[in-house]
Amino acid sequence: MVSVQTTIGEFHFDNCLMNAAGVYCMTREELAAIEQSEAGSFVTKTGTFKERKGNPEPRYADTALGSINSMGLPNHGYRYYLDYVTELQEQPGSKPHFLSLVGLSPDETHKILKDVQASDYRGLVELNLSCPNVPGKPQIAYDFETTEQILKEVFTYYKKPLGIKLPPYFDIVHFDQAAHIFNQFPLTFVNCINSIGNGLIIEDEHVLIKPKNGFGGIGGDYVKPTALANVHAFYQRLKPSIQIIGTGGVKSGRDAFEHILCGASMVQLGTVLHQEGPEVFGRITAELKAIMTAKGYKNVADFRGKLRYFNN
Ligand code: RRO
């Protein structure tokens, strides 16, 4: 029997596949559907200090090759998600969860994280440093100085397991600089990648979404090579205690296999989950297991990070 179980920090997951933040995670009902699916866990929609309506619609569109979105961080406020994961963790058989969070300023981020630190929540937190869609708010993780400052302050008071959601980087120097910063902190994981920010998709003569004259975060097939490169670049550079979650362009067992080969300990489904719904976890799990069986791998640790180069 092949197994797709995995661990992140001290947490055990029966399946290395889960949703990506932003997809199937806005409401308790959606989160419950992921909890009841074959997914190993769920991550919540990124919660902010106050609830937000987000950008005007249409703000998400599927295309033949993926998706574009400029949701603008709509969410019910972090307490809604904190209350739900705290409630669920007491239920027998509950999966461990990820609570995605960010403030609209460093101050707000600290207020939120201090509240989570003081709460009964024992699970993982994913600090979203890479939302591309709030007008006037640049992606935090493209500003290395601010990123380092926020992490420095966070780890003075935050003692529970915490990881960060990263935007894609596109230059080797940026991989080096970012990894140098992350390696200074007791991060449990980094999640590569958020959508590729500020793309533009056109149909006939028209943009597909309303906010920002059509500019939005790109997901799906378009982003897989960038996602794999980011997963592997950080796998090569980060200290072993910082694990990698791979997100971007996964729509088959083969794609999940490639993320794990690049070093991912867990793999998230975004666009494909939006397109197919929670049953997709069963399909992709079966496809991944079939590949593992054919290659003689018994568990994901057997091939994690074992990408082969020409010079080996
Ligand atoms: O809500 C969004 O517009 C959004 C967020 Br917070 C994010 O992190 N990534 C994305 O593609 N969209």
Side-chain angles (χ1 to χ4, degrees):
M1 271 302 283
V2 294
S3 159
V4 291
Q5 61 185 286
T6 191
T7 56
I8 298 283
E10 307 281 297
F11 298 89
H12 174 91
F13 302 88
D14 289 340
N15 191 335
C16 62
L17 302 178
M18 61 180 289
N19 70 306
V23 183
Y24 247 94
C25 59
M26 184 78 84
T27 62
R28 283 176 170 244
E29 290 71 27
E30 287 181 342
L31 290 163
I34 304 299
E35 182 78 356
Q36 283 146 34
S37 78
E38 275 200 45
S41 179
F42 67 63
V43 56
T44 67
K45 175 65 184 169
T46 301
T48 51
F49 192 67
K50 289 191 183 138
E51 69 181 289
R52 289 171 55 84
K53 287 205 175 352
N55 292 337
E57 293 178 343
R59 57 191 185 179
Y60 177 98
D62 284 311
T63 74
L65 295 176
S67 65
I68 183 166
N69 88 83
S70 183
M71 305 297 289
L73 210 27
N75 75 92
H76 292 289
Y78 79 97
R79 277 174 210 278
Y80 175 96
Y81 304 103
L82 175 59
D83 286 350
Y84 186 52
V85 289
T86 306
E87 192 180 303
L88 268 192
Q89 76 187 359
E90 303 308 334
Q91 293 184 6
S94 168
K95 301 166 181 176
H97 303 115
F98 295 74
L99 176 62
S100 175
L101 300 168
V102 78
L104 292 189
S105 66
D107 252 20
E108 261 188 29
T109 296
H110 296 311
K111 273 200 230 166
I112 295 170
L113 284 176
K114 282 179 182 170
D115 202 20
V116 178
Q117 174 65 36
S119 76
D120 291 332
Y121 178 56
R122 297 186 297 272
L124 291 139
V125 161
E126 177 173 284
L127 181 60
N128 186 354
L129 298 181
S130 49
C131 175
N133 300 327
V134 181
K137 302 272 176 198
Q139 290 173 74
I140 298 166
Y142 283 149
D143 177 343
F144 289 143
E145 230 174 278
T146 303
T147 296
E148 185 170 359
Q149 189 53 40
I150 289 174
L151 292 176
K152 237 182 214 157
E153 230 170 297
V154 164
F155 284 111
T156 61
Y157 61 84
Y158 197 81
K159 305 297 174 193
K160 296 178 179 180
L162 178 116
I164 48 180
K165 181 74 172 276
L166 298 177
Y169 297 102
F170 300 95
D171 194 289
I172 300 299
V173 168
H174 294 158
F175 291 136
D176 292 342
Q177 291 172 339
H180 177 74
I181 293 169
F182 304 148
N183 275 331
Q184 297 172 45
F185 299 103
L187 288 162
T188 301
F189 67 90
V190 302
N191 185 342
C192 307
I193 59 172
N194 207 317
S195 55
I196 295 184
N198 295 299
L200 188 57
I201 302 180
I202 299 167
E203 212 170 73
D204 189 13
E205 298 179 21
H206 211 280
V207 299
L208 287 188
I209 54 174
K210 181 170 179 183
K212 295 167 69 177
N213 286 341
F215 282 53
I218 305 296
D221 295 359
Y222 307 106
V223 314
K224 193 180 82 170
T226 299
L228 293 176
N230 275 260
V231 167
H232 197 55
F234 285 107
Y235 182 75
Q236 290 170 311
R237 286 167 177 77
L238 294 180
K239 56 189 179 184
S241 58
I242 306 181
Q243 289 175 269
I244 320 286
I245 297 178
T247 306
V250 177
K251 67 176 186 187
S252 68
R254 172 69 203 183
D255 300 325
F257 180 79
E258 290 177 12
H259 268 267
I260 297 164
L261 209 54
C262 287
S265 292
M266 195 135 199
V267 176
Q268 297 188 336
L269 310 184
T271 299
V272 75
L273 172 60
H274 185 271
Q275 294 174 344
E276 294 185 31
E279 292 195 349
V280 75
F281 290 108
R283 173 177 71 78
I284 297 184
T285 302
E287 291 172 6
L288 176 58
K289 283 183 171 174
I291 293 168
M292 291 169 63
T293 303
K295 291 181 175 287
Y297 295 128
K298 296 217 162 8
N299 54 62
V300 297
D302 286 348
F303 62 99
R304 182 186 306 125
K306 304 241 165 84
L307 182 62
R308 295 194 199 165
Y309 315 129
F310 275 106
N311 56 358
N312 283 353

